[in-house]
């Protein structure tokens, strides 16, 4: 069995790129007054996957921005993800697409050997962050960190529709323009962290926070902490609190058991995964609503991590009825019991409130949502899901009222807001294999057709021939001459 490279660990990756050959030259023309063909908002695994796939499709003029000051502060991996390993399987196709030499396994084996890769059950979280950094480097993806999209508006009056982008670059306002947008803006990319109303006062007084926010766990030492929610993030936050010396952690789950009833898993069912967008709305809604109703099951290692602590207490079928703040404590009523907590952590997921994100607030009312398109049966009603955008085949926004905002088709959204439409939390690793190529294909088609006359002119123009008659003149059969010699 091969161990690891004794020379440069990047040799195999460089060789793979060499064999792949140079990326096609950019075929998308630039236009006066338009800075970028595409702006990708978010430089995490999704933004990086798109940047590489677009490069290999010969689509240039792509700019990737990220509001984070630097890679280590972007996305979740080194910020508020608190598990030791990824929750997804280690062998999924990631941002490398079909170029396996640029995948996590190749990267990991080149540094630690094949046996080390075989020995890990899941990908260590920090190794994944390190790999993504490496992937951006080797594929030449430059992310403009410290650059936030604040808002944007369509500029439809010119010959070529595009967007005016209001950016904040290291705190300074700046305006740029782009023809298309890809929102690769993370798990809260279509809304915000959802904090139950009953925690509003506690949050405002610094006595509660969402798992998606920064939490000073060291400050919780010796305190009594509540965690609301029973998905992976809730358990991970509980574990970190316990590891930081909290006096007690009480985790409250709505459901009466932790392991959800098995749900049809799109990602493990190729027929469904590959054709999800073609499914009837009723089928897609059923899967999404059922999945949300049952809740996601925390991975066993997240559960085992908290079970090591005798001061961890699990409350099942225990929804909070109320919460008040009194004398610096959060007083919670749960059924007939009252609890006093020093701090509350809400592991309660994310919303689809497009208007809650400043950069989307200006378009939110124009976007077609599932509730505009589909009336679920009463037993499958889910208002939060109904607020999710109803995406087109290029994962683009569609118009709520046809004819009012055709430019929405140039906004491609790639975050969990697309769950009802695609059956997957877009942005998670399992979504990359199928949906990134599909969106790139659509972007390619849109850009081609938008400049069709120019492309026609380019491809119909006479090009100089490679060689002239002199190359083969000596071999041309001279019928008369041959007869004479005979
Ligand atoms: C705790 C936790 C654990 C998870 N574990 C897994 C897992 O094991 N496996 C898995 O597949 N998925 C997991 N996920 C889902 C995970 O979020 C995604 O898989 C992954 O982070 C998505 O990558 P991304 O590039 O789409 O988004 P992110 O990595 O979140 O990157 C989005 C970027 O967009 C930037 N951004 C947002 N808005 C703007 C703006 N207006 N202007 C400029 N930049 C902006 C942000 O700064 C951010 O860096 C987890 C999520 C959480 C919260």
């Amino acid at each position: 069995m091969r161990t690891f490279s004794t020379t440069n660990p990047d040799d195999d990756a460089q060789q793979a790129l060499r064999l792949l050959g140079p990326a096609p030259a950019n075929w998308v023309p630039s236009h006066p007054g338009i800075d970028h063909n595409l702006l990708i908002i978010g430089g995490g695994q999704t933004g990086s996957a798109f940047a590489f796939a677009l490069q290999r499709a010969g689509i240039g003029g792509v700019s990737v921005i990220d509001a984070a000051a630097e890679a280590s502060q972007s996305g979740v991996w080194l910020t508020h993800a608190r598990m030791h390993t990824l929750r997804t399987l280690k062998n999924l196709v990631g941002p490398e697409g079909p170029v396996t030499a640029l995948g996590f396994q190749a990267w990991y084996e080149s540094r630690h050997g094949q046996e080390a890769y075989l020995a890990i059950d899941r990908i260590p979280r920090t190794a994944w962050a390190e790999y993504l950094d490496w992937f951006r480097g080797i594929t030449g993806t430059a992310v403009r960190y410290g650059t936030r999209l604040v808002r944007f508006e369509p500029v439809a009056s010119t010959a070529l529709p595009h967007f005016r982008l209001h950016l904040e670059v290291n705190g300074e306002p700046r305006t740029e323009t782009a023809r298309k947008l890809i929102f690769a803006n993370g798990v809260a990319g279509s809304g915000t962290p959802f904090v139950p109303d009953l925690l509003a006062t506690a949050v405002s007084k610094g006595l509660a926070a969402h798992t998606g926010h920064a939490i000073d766990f060291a400050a919780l030492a010796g305190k009594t902490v509540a965690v609301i929610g029973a998905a992976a993030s809730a358990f991970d936050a509980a574990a970190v609190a316990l590891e930081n010396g909290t006096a007690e952690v009480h985790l409250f789950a709505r459901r009466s058991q932790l392991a959800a009833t098995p749900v049809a898993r799109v990602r493990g069912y190729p027929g469904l995964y590959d054709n999800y967008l073609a499914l009837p709305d009723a089928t897609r809604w059923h899967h999404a609503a059922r999945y949300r109703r049952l809740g996601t099951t925390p991975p066993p290692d997240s559960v085992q991590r908290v079970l090591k602590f005798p001061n961890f207490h699990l409350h099942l079928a225990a929804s909070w009825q109320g919460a008040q703040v009194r004398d610096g404590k959060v007083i919670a009523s749960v059924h007939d019991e009252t609890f006093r907590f020093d701090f509350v952590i809400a592991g309660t997921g994310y919303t689809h409130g497009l208007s809650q994100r400043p950069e989307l607030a200006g378009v939110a009312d124009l976007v077609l949502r599932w509730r505009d398109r589909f009336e679920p049966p009463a037993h499958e009603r889910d208002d939060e899901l109904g607020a999710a955008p109803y995406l087109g085949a290029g994962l683009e926004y569609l118009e709520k009222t046809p004819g009012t905002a055709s430019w929405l088709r140039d906004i491609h959204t790639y975050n969990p807001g697309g769950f009802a439409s695609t059956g997957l939390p877009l942005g998670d690793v399992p979504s990359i294999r199928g949906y990134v190529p599909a969106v790139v294909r659509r972007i390619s088609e849109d850009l081609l057709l938008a400049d069709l006359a120019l492309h026609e002119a380019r491809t119909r123009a006479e090009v100089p021939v490679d060689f002239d008659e002199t190359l083969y003149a000596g071999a041309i059969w001279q019928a008369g001459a041959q007869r004479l010699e005979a």
Side-chain angles (χ1 to χ4, degrees):
M1 180 177 284
R2 186 178 162 210
T3 53
F4 53 91
S5 171
T6 49
T7 53
N8 180 356
D10 288 347
D11 279 353
D12 288 350
Q14 298 284 12
Q15 171 75 343
L17 280 172
R18 193 182 67 77
L19 293 176
L20 198 59
N26 173 24
W27 56 265
V28 185
S30 54
H31 290 269
I34 300 182
D35 299 312
H36 316 291
N37 290 321
L38 268 129
L39 183 81
I40 302 177
I41 300 108
Q45 64 199 35
T46 299
S48 309
F50 272 113
F52 181 51
L54 289 162
Q55 182 196 102
R56 298 305 313 180
I59 297 174
V62 176
S63 179
V64 187
I65 63 166
D66 200 302
E70 55 181 32
S72 65
Q73 291 170 32
S74 73
V76 299
W77 307 119
L78 302 179
T79 56
H80 55 267
R82 302 180 177 100
M83 66 285 188
H84 295 312
T85 58
L86 261 62
R87 296 161 188 158
T88 34
L89 300 177
K90 68 178 180 181
N91 58 355
L92 299 172
V93 175
E96 76 280 8
V99 191
T100 48
L102 302 184
F104 177 82
Q105 180 174 355
W107 175 84
Y108 195 83
E109 288 184 355
S110 69
R111 278 150 181 80
H112 307 287
Q114 288 181 5
E115 280 181 13
Y117 179 77
L118 279 175
I120 56 170
D121 179 34
R122 307 263 161 153
I123 295 175
R125 173 173 53 81
T126 53
W128 181 248
E130 204 186 324
Y131 158 71
L132 290 177
D133 233 10
W134 170 87
F135 178 80
R136 281 185 284 272
I138 202 148
T139 56
T141 299
V143 179
R144 295 157 65 199
Y145 290 105
T147 305
R148 175 185 299 280
L149 175 66
V150 180
R151 64 188 168 85
F152 64 93
E153 67 255 351
V155 183
S157 53
T158 61
L160 200 67
H162 61 276
F163 298 103
R164 185 178 299 111
L165 314 163
H166 301 274
L167 306 175
E168 216 173 72
V169 183
N170 298 318
E172 296 293 321
R174 178 145 135 198
T175 307
E176 296 179 9
T177 47
R179 292 173 67 179
K180 274 184 169 284
L181 308 179
I182 302 177
F183 278 95
N185 54 350
V187 72
S190 286
T192 55
F194 168 70
V195 180
D197 287 344
L198 51 75
L199 286 181
T201 311
V203 170
S204 69
K205 293 188 181 300
L207 298 174
H210 189 273
T211 49
H213 293 140
I215 298 173
D216 181 359
F217 282 95
L220 300 181
K223 305 271 172 73
T224 301
V225 172
V227 176
I228 302 179
S233 292
F235 273 88
D236 294 335
V240 179
L242 290 159
E243 287 159 6
N244 274 272
T246 45
E248 286 178 37
V249 170
H250 291 256
L251 187 143
F252 295 86
R254 259 182 320 180
R255 45 185 127 136
S256 56
Q257 54 173 11
L258 282 188
T261 317
V263 177
R265 289 193 185 276
V266 174
R267 62 188 69 167
Y269 199 103
L272 213 60
Y273 175 100
D274 292 338
N275 304 298
Y276 205 82
L277 295 170
L279 291 172
D281 287 350
T283 307
R284 292 194 285 167
W285 181 275
H286 167 78
H287 282 297
R290 182 163 182 260
Y291 188 82
R292 279 172 44 81
R293 201 169 55 248
L294 294 173
T296 52
T297 307
D301 57 315
S302 290
V303 180
Q304 281 152 358
R305 194 170 159 198
V306 293
L307 294 180
K308 289 187 200 128
F309 293 86
N311 49 342
F312 171 76
H313 307 286
L314 178 63
H315 301 254
L316 293 174
S319 297
W320 282 29
Q321 274 90 50
Q324 291 173 348
V325 174
R326 226 180 293 145
D327 304 327
K329 307 270 183 205
V330 180
I331 317 296
S333 338
V334 187
H335 299 313
D336 297 334
E337 283 187 272
T338 301
F339 297 87
R340 287 163 70 85
F341 295 111
D342 296 302
F343 197 76
V344 183
I345 299 173
T348 38
Y350 297 84
T351 73
H352 294 127
L354 294 188
S355 58
Q356 292 166 318
R357 283 196 77 90
E359 67 271 48
L360 295 176
V363 303
D365 285 347
L366 303 169
V367 173
L368 182 75
R369 315 292 185 95
W370 269 83
R371 64 182 174 227
D372 304 319
R373 189 68 176 247
F374 179 70
E375 174 81 42
H379 67 282
E380 285 188 346
R381 195 178 155 167
D382 182 335
D383 292 346
E384 183 54 41
L385 200 59
Y390 185 101
L391 301 177
L395 306 188
E396 77 280 20
Y397 286 148
L398 300 174
E399 297 166 285
K400 181 172 170 179
T401 310
T404 55
S406 58
W407 43 268
L408 284 171
R409 61 172 286 125
D410 288 319
I411 305 173
H412 303 266
T413 192
Y414 205 96
N415 57 49
F419 180 62
S421 299
T422 63
L424 290 174
L426 295 175
D428 282 25
V429 183
S431 73
I432 297 177
R433 176 175 66 83
Y435 284 111
V436 167
V439 175
V440 169
R441 246 208 65 58
R442 174 59 174 278
I443 286 171
S444 173
E445 180 184 315
D446 286 353
L447 290 172
L448 182 87
L449 296 182
D451 285 315
L452 190 57
L454 182 141
H455 295 297
E456 287 270 29
R458 276 182 181 173
T459 49
R460 286 183 186 192
E462 298 288 340
V463 290
V465 291
D466 291 337
F467 49 83
D468 65 23
E469 235 183 33
T470 56
L471 181 70
Y472 51 87
I476 297 175
W477 178 257
Q478 302 289 344
Q482 297 289 334
R483 254 199 314 276
L484 223 64
E485 281 165 22

